[in-house]
Amino acid sequence: MSPTPSLRQACAVWLKVGCLGFGGPAGQIALLHREVVEKRGWVDEDRFAHALSFCMLLPGPEAQQLATWLGWRLHGVRGGLAAGLLFVLPGLFAMLGLSALYVVHGQARWAAPALLGLKAAVVALVLQALLKMAGRAARDRAGKVAAVLAFLALSFTIAPFPLVILVAGLAGWFLGGRGAIPASAEPPSPLKGAGRAALVCLAAWLAPVALAFVLAPRSALAQIGGVFSGLAVVSFGGAYAALAYVGQVAGELNWLTPNQMLDGLGLAETTPGPLVLVFVFVGFVAAWRDADPALAWPAAIAGGLMAAWATFAPSFLWIFAGGPFVERLRTHARAAAALSWVGAAVVGVIASLALWFAVHLLFRSGDDVVWGPFRTTVPDLASLDPAALGLVVLACGLTFALRLPILALVAVMTLAGLACGALF
């Protein structure tokens, strides 16, 4: 491993990741691995995989939690705060700006051609991340089996994501933990300060929400804080599972329409950072619609920031309170095996996500087929989108043949999408 960097050096990397973090959690995790493990050697492979397995077990955005853990591992609480915040802030500011444009112009169709090119780049980035993660997380026969079974379960059955991860962890605990304590395990991090950090994070998370309820208990701002704080505790299953719940609640509370929710998701795909930044859009539009016209802009910004705070602040609590304990699990054979199997199952999760994303990008329509416990999406072959297919082929060529950097790939594919929109 390389020497520990200074906090300033680390912050430059966290900001870079925050600005280039396109491609959803798979692309962001791959970017973190490239910057921290491959290029700089600040964290070794085993520790990175161990931390990723832990973050996959937590509710909330796993890529942001992994960035927070890496910052905490290098520079303690201040490093974790810097990494977690810089991972989110570029996308947060972009989402606030796009939300403001949306409420002024009323729709987001102007972004459709650029979005098509960006989605093609996302497919290539997810495939690249899948290959890299498979090489390090599913190295032995047991890991390969866990990855394949997780992929099959998520792609072709009704099994929910939390159940798949839980079964993988239990299987690793009972079947893979019979050996000795891992020889490469380093002395565990001290537990001193974990409880204090947890209390500070908990108070900071809930203070704005409680203040909103005290000042205006029936306002959209208070509702936003309450809904997203509750979701932060139970949002297992990835961003799409959380989006399904938010879409239902948003309709019940008259925050926004289903079409507006889809527009927000499209905008979130164009920004770096976690996909759950779409919650910023939800909070922005909900507060805008609820506010007095004279106060609409301040209320909308407050609504977007409240949604972001309630979504991302709990991640610091989980990492700062649980990180020292999880570090100690690296010296426990059964626990280390359980997390190793979870890491292998994550490869299957990402493969399932890649399949889902590619099918919905390349085909305009399809049918969901359910037969007992089995479920899959069968695309309509006649609805194949030639422009989307061509853009995916171009993105894969730029990624795997030319090894184009992420920023250049995003720029080229956005321009290619705009060109397709102008031609067709």
Side-chain angles (χ1 to χ4, degrees), residues 216-391:
R218 296 186 179 181
S219 66
L221 188 64
Q223 290 179 333
I224 291 165
V227 168
F228 287 113
S229 290
L231 182 63
V233 180
V234 298
S235 58
F236 298 94
Y240 289 103
L243 286 170
Y245 171 77
V246 171
Q248 179 182 358
V249 172
E252 293 174 353
L253 296 176
N254 197 32
W255 284 352
L256 69 174
T257 66
N259 285 335
Q260 288 176 320
M261 186 72 186
L262 290 175
D263 286 340
L265 182 58
L267 292 176
E269 293 280 12
T270 68
T271 63
L275 185 59
V276 290
L277 280 170
V278 67
F279 296 164
V280 175
F281 173 84
V282 175
F284 192 101
V285 175
W288 170 277
R289 296 180 62 176
D290 179 69
D292 182 275
L295 300 174
W297 283 112
I301 294 173
L305 292 176
M306 176 67 83
W309 182 258
T311 298
F312 295 108
S315 295
F316 296 101
L317 170 61
W318 313 145
I319 297 300
F320 295 155
F325 295 94
V326 172
E327 279 287 274
R328 287 177 173 258
L329 292 180
R330 297 182 74 241
T331 63
H332 187 284
R334 287 189 179 275
L339 289 174
S340 175
W341 281 48
V342 168
V346 169
V347 175
V349 172
I350 296 175
S352 175
L353 173 64
L355 176 64
W356 184 93
F357 198 89
V359 167
H360 285 79
L361 175 63
L362 296 176
F363 298 92
R364 297 189 180 95
S365 63
D367 296 319
D368 289 330
V369 178
V370 180
W371 183 55
F374 300 99
R375 177 189 62 189
T376 190
T377 299
V378 180
D380 180 5
L381 298 181
S383 69
L384 177 67
D385 186 343
L389 178 60
L391 288 170

Side-chain angles (χ1 to χ4, degrees), residues 52-422:
L52 176 58
S53 300
F54 167 53
C55 293
M56 291 299 297
L57 294 173
L58 298 174
E62 62 271 22
Q64 187 233 359
Q65 291 163 353
L66 179 61
T68 303
W69 185 94
L70 291 169
W72 168 81
R73 188 69 186 81
L74 292 173
H75 298 105
V77 171
R78 62 173 185 165
L81 287 172
L85 290 173
L86 291 174
F87 185 86
V88 171
L89 287 178
L92 171 60
F93 290 137
M95 200 66 201
L96 286 172
L98 291 172
S99 300
L101 288 174
Y102 182 88
V103 298
V104 171
H105 295 286
Q107 57 184 354
R109 294 179 182 174
W110 51 268
L115 179 59
L116 183 63
L118 184 60
K119 285 182 177 179
V122 168
V123 171
L125 290 172
V126 171
L127 290 175
Q128 183 186 52
L130 175 63
L131 294 176
K132 288 188 175 183
M133 292 189 66
R136 66 175 183 268
R139 289 173 289 189
D140 55 14
R141 179 177 299 179
K144 291 181 174 63
V145 170
V148 170
L149 291 178
F151 168 75
L152 294 175
L154 290 173
S155 300
F156 302 106
T157 76
I158 62 174
F161 171 86
L163 178 62
V164 172
I165 295 299
L166 177 62
V167 169
L170 291 175
W173 179 277
F174 290 108
L175 301 178
R178 297 174 181 175
I181 294 175
S184 61
E186 299 176 12
S189 299
L191 300 181
K192 183 180 179 180
R196 181 175 58 186
L199 289 175
V200 172
C201 290
L202 180 63
W205 163 25
L206 297 179
V209 181
L211 182 62
F213 273 99
V214 169
L215 296 179
R218 296 186 179 181
S219 66
L221 188 64
Q223 290 179 333
I224 291 165
V227 168
F228 287 113
S229 290
L231 182 63
V233 180
V234 298
S235 58
F236 298 94
Y240 289 103
L243 286 170
Y245 171 77
V246 171
Q248 179 182 358
V249 172
E252 293 174 353
L253 296 176
N254 197 32
W255 284 352
L256 69 174
T257 66
N259 285 335
Q260 288 176 320
M261 186 72 186
L262 290 175
D263 286 340
L265 182 58
L267 292 176
E269 293 280 12
T270 68
T271 63
L275 185 59
V276 290
L277 280 170
V278 67
F279 296 164
V280 175
F281 173 84
V282 175
F284 192 101
V285 175
W288 170 277
R289 296 180 62 176
D290 179 69
D292 182 275
L295 300 174
W297 283 112
I301 294 173
L305 292 176
M306 176 67 83
W309 182 258
T311 298
F312 295 108
S315 295
F316 296 101
L317 170 61
W318 313 145
I319 297 300
F320 295 155
F325 295 94
V326 172
E327 279 287 274
R328 287 177 173 258
L329 292 180
R330 297 182 74 241
T331 63
H332 187 284
R334 287 189 179 275
L339 289 174
S340 175
W341 281 48
V342 168
V346 169
V347 175
V349 172
I350 296 175
S352 175
L353 173 64
L355 176 64
W356 184 93
F357 198 89
V359 167
H360 285 79
L361 175 63
L362 296 176
F363 298 92
R364 297 189 180 95
S365 63
D367 296 319
D368 289 330
V369 178
V370 180
W371 183 55
F374 300 99
R375 177 189 62 189
T376 190
T377 299
V378 180
D380 180 5
L381 298 181
S383 69
L384 177 67
D385 186 343
L389 178 60
L391 288 170
V392 169
V393 172
L394 174 61
C396 289
L398 294 174
T399 300
F400 293 101
L402 299 183
R403 300 183 183 276
L404 209 62
I406 292 179
L407 185 60
L409 176 67
V410 169
V412 170
M413 294 309 303
T414 300
L415 292 175
L418 290 171
C420 285

